[in-house]
Amino acid sequence: MFVFDKMPDPVLGLGGLEPGLSTEEKAVQGAAHQFAREVMRPIGVALDKMTPEEVIAHSSPIWSYLKQIKDSGLLDLKALAAMSAQEKARMMPLIFEELGWGDSGLTIAAIALSFPAFAAGMSGNPELIEEFGSSLGCWVGTQPDRGSDAVDWDATEVHPGARQPRGNLNAKVVGDQVVVNGQSAAWVSAGPLAQSAFVCCQCDYGDGLWDAQGRPNLINVLVPFDHRVTKGKPLNKLGQRALPQGEIFFNEVVLSKKYIMNGRDTAAGGLFGIVTFANMDMAMTFTGVARAAFEHALAYVHERKQGGVALINHQSVRARIFNMWRKVETARALTRRVVDFNFGSNGPHLLASITGKTFVTQTAVEVANEALQLFGGNGLAKDYPLEKLLRDATASLIEDGENNLLSLKGATWLSKWYQHHS
Ligand SMILES: Cc1cc2nc3c(=O)[nH]c(=O)nc-3n(C[C@H](O)[C@H](O)[C@H](O)COP(=O)(O)OP(=O)(O)OC[C@H]3O[C@@H](n4cnc5c(N)ncnc54)[C@H](O)[C@@H]3O)c2cc1C
């Protein structure tokens, strides 16, 4: 049993029940927290109030944020790549939780913008690294007619007898060239800022858009933007308004084959990798959103008086606060387990990331909603932080795959595992 001489207050870190961080981990977490508090929160709040056009204008504070996050080194891809798997598994959740605590839309914007640079770096091709290394980018995966279908790229959730549509954005490999034609969905994160894209779409390699099983043939291709690429109006949406989004039109863009990152045999695996990383990223980031909502509520119930005392003195309020705390802790614990798994000897796997993303984003909505209730009418008011957090969290239920569709894919993986191992 545990023995105490006296009963001390619990020792809680920024990350709640933190069993212990190294000096370096504490320093990075502290730097991320300071950046989130001093840079991300004020800029995120300012952008939230702007129109989508104002968010991407030259005068927008988003440019100051992008410069500062780059200068901070917090999301330095080269530094992250140089870490061991174990170091990444410990460091990444600490950084992303703090950034998500600061502003989820701005966190996702920084990640989305680095997609092509990251892919070029993975290719090891010096020409591509030179061309895309400092290019602002985006990930083009979904299309007007292919939302969940794009996330269900291996068509495991297709109705019996049906097949996925050809969509609105296709590639064709002809000789030494690839031609990209059509349009993305309006949901491309950072699309309005981007100078290049990592495009994942259906591809005709000379024998049509579908394979023998009726699944789409796919390609992952880097596309630098020139006059053949145009953009639609930036999207006006409910939450994460600091994250600019918009449709992108590709008008018969002809590229040499060097831009193909994954062809017929490896493109599905490429998408598996992207969604596996992105869903893990969502779990890390939205742990921070849930925590932000909880912290606001904890402070508010100690200030606001009703029934003659501060709200925290009411038993039902205490129960609600504790329930929120427990949810945040559970979300963080699951997230870290998922990250450990993905960087461990049995990972990475989409099943792990989906488990984290669906649970944590749902938890973020529940905690933000309960925090809003505890703020009473003030929870609804624009001068208080809760209505924004609830809107930001709500968008996360659909982002990087709508949670119900992701859950179906998770169940499909569980069933496959059961059938192969029982
Ligand atoms: C904040 C945000 C950021 C995003 N960023 C990007 C980005 O950077 N790049 C990009 O390409 N896209 C991006 N997206 C798009 C996102 O991936 C899609 O919105 C998402 O996959 C859902 O597609 P949809 O909106 O077309 O909904 P739909 O696919 O039309 O789904 C509607 C409903 O039907 C259900 N449904 C659909 N298919 C099935 C099925 N087979 N079985 C059972 N139920 C089903 C879904 O679960 C959902 O509830 C982003 C979206 C958001 C909200």
Side-chain angles (χ1 to χ4, degrees):
M1 72 178 84
F2 296 115
V3 179
F4 293 96
D5 293 336
K6 54 180 183 162
M7 288 183 290
D9 285 347
V11 178
L12 302 176
L14 284 172
L17 293 172
E18 193 65 77
L21 297 176
S22 70
T23 312
E24 190 196 352
E25 287 164 351
K26 260 192 212 151
V28 171
Q29 186 192 42
H33 185 70
Q34 188 180 358
F35 183 81
R37 191 181 63 239
E38 293 175 6
V39 178
M40 296 179 84
R41 280 202 170 173
I43 293 182
V45 167
L47 293 172
D48 184 60
K49 296 185 177 126
M50 294 181 180
T51 65
E53 287 77 12
E54 287 166 346
V55 168
I56 61 170
H58 289 304
S59 55
S60 165
I62 198 166
W63 300 108
S64 160
Y65 161 70
L66 293 176
K67 181 174 181 320
Q68 291 185 73
I69 185 93
K70 190 167 177 223
D71 293 348
S72 74
L74 288 165
L75 292 180
D76 182 343
L77 297 180
K78 278 195 196 128
L80 277 176
M83 288 180 190
S84 69
Q86 209 185 6
E87 284 169 328
K88 280 183 208 161
R90 286 191 58 88
M91 209 56 107
M92 286 176 59
L94 294 178
I95 297 173
F96 278 86
E97 178 177 330
E98 295 311 318
L99 301 184
W101 177 92
D103 189 275
S104 54
L106 287 175
T107 307
I108 307 294
I111 295 298
L113 283 161
S114 66
F115 250 100
F118 190 72
M122 297 275 287
S123 78
N125 180 331
E127 281 178 43
L128 295 178
I129 294 172
E130 169 71 22
E131 184 170 0
F132 293 94
S134 55
S135 159
L136 297 181
C138 61
W139 174 63
V140 171
T142 59
Q143 304 159 23
D145 296 340
R146 282 176 61 81
S148 297
D149 282 354
V151 178
D152 180 27
W153 65 90
D154 49 351
T156 57
E157 312 312 320
V158 166
H159 202 269
R163 79 175 177 185
Q164 292 187 352
R166 64 175 289 120
N168 321 78
L169 178 62
N170 294 164
K172 194 172 170 119
V173 173
V174 189
D176 280 345
Q177 294 180 318
V178 54
V179 185
V180 181
N181 193 43
Q183 78 165 94
S184 75
W187 292 101
V188 174
S189 297
L193 310 177
Q195 303 155 333
S196 62
F198 187 68
V199 173
C200 301
C201 68
Q202 312 78 261
C203 183
D204 182 351
Y205 289 92
D207 54 358
L209 287 172
W210 291 272
D211 68 11
Q213 283 79 42
R215 292 173 307 210
N217 294 320
L218 299 167
I219 195 165
N220 307 161
V221 58
L222 280 171
V223 182
F225 292 177
D226 60 17
H227 64 279
R228 297 166 300 178
V229 178
T230 55
K231 296 179 185 175
K233 258 167 68 99
L235 183 75
N236 198 1
K237 68 182 193 296
L238 176 92
Q240 296 179 43
R241 291 176 62 82
L243 171 66
Q245 294 183 292
E247 59 204 342
I248 300 176
F249 300 89
F250 300 84
N251 184 15
E252 296 281 345
V253 180
V254 183
L255 298 161
S256 86
K257 269 190 171 172
K258 77 172 180 195
Y259 291 95
I260 299 177
M261 295 291 96
N262 290 296
R264 185 201 285 268
D265 298 332
T266 54
L271 261 164
F272 189 88
I274 289 170
V275 183
T276 299
F277 187 88
N279 271 229
M280 179 179 80
D281 174 16
M282 291 291 288
M284 296 187 290
T285 302
F286 284 86
T287 298
V289 173
R291 177 181 126 210
F294 164 74
E295 287 178 3
H296 285 304
L298 184 63
Y300 189 81
V301 297
H302 283 85
E303 288 157 18
R304 173 77 175 161
K305 286 187 183 153
Q306 288 296 289
V309 289
L311 292 178
I312 189 66
N313 294 300
H314 298 295
Q315 199 174 34
S316 68
V317 169
R318 297 156 80 86
R320 288 158 74 188
I321 284 287
F322 189 73
N323 197 29
M324 291 164 71
W325 153 263
R326 191 164 46 192
K327 285 184 178 181
V328 175
E329 278 298 317
T330 310
R332 180 183 299 111
L334 175 61
T335 296
R336 294 203 184 168
R337 188 167 164 83
V338 164
V339 180
D340 272 345
F341 180 89
N342 279 343
F343 287 110
S345 54
N346 293 331
H349 202 280
L350 182 63
L351 174 66
S353 296
I354 284 178
T355 307
K357 190 270 179 174
T358 54
F359 184 84
V360 174
T361 53
Q362 179 61 36
T363 300
V365 169
E366 289 172 14
V367 173
N369 191 42
E370 184 66 307
L372 188 149
Q373 291 294 124
L374 281 168
F375 268 63
N378 286 339
L380 303 171
K382 293 272 180 192
D383 291 342
Y384 289 82
L386 261 308
E387 61 85 32
K388 173 179 180 292
L389 282 174
L390 182 57
R391 284 186 285 111
D392 289 349
T394 300
S396 75
L397 300 177
I398 298 170
E399 192 169 12
D400 286 329
E402 194 278 332
N403 279 4
N404 289 287
L405 187 277
L406 288 175
S407 302
L408 291 176
K409 290 198 77 65
T412 299
W413 278 110
L414 276 180
S415 173
K416 268 191 196 164
W417 173 82
Y418 177 79
Q419 290 175 54
H420 295 157
H421 296 92
S422 62

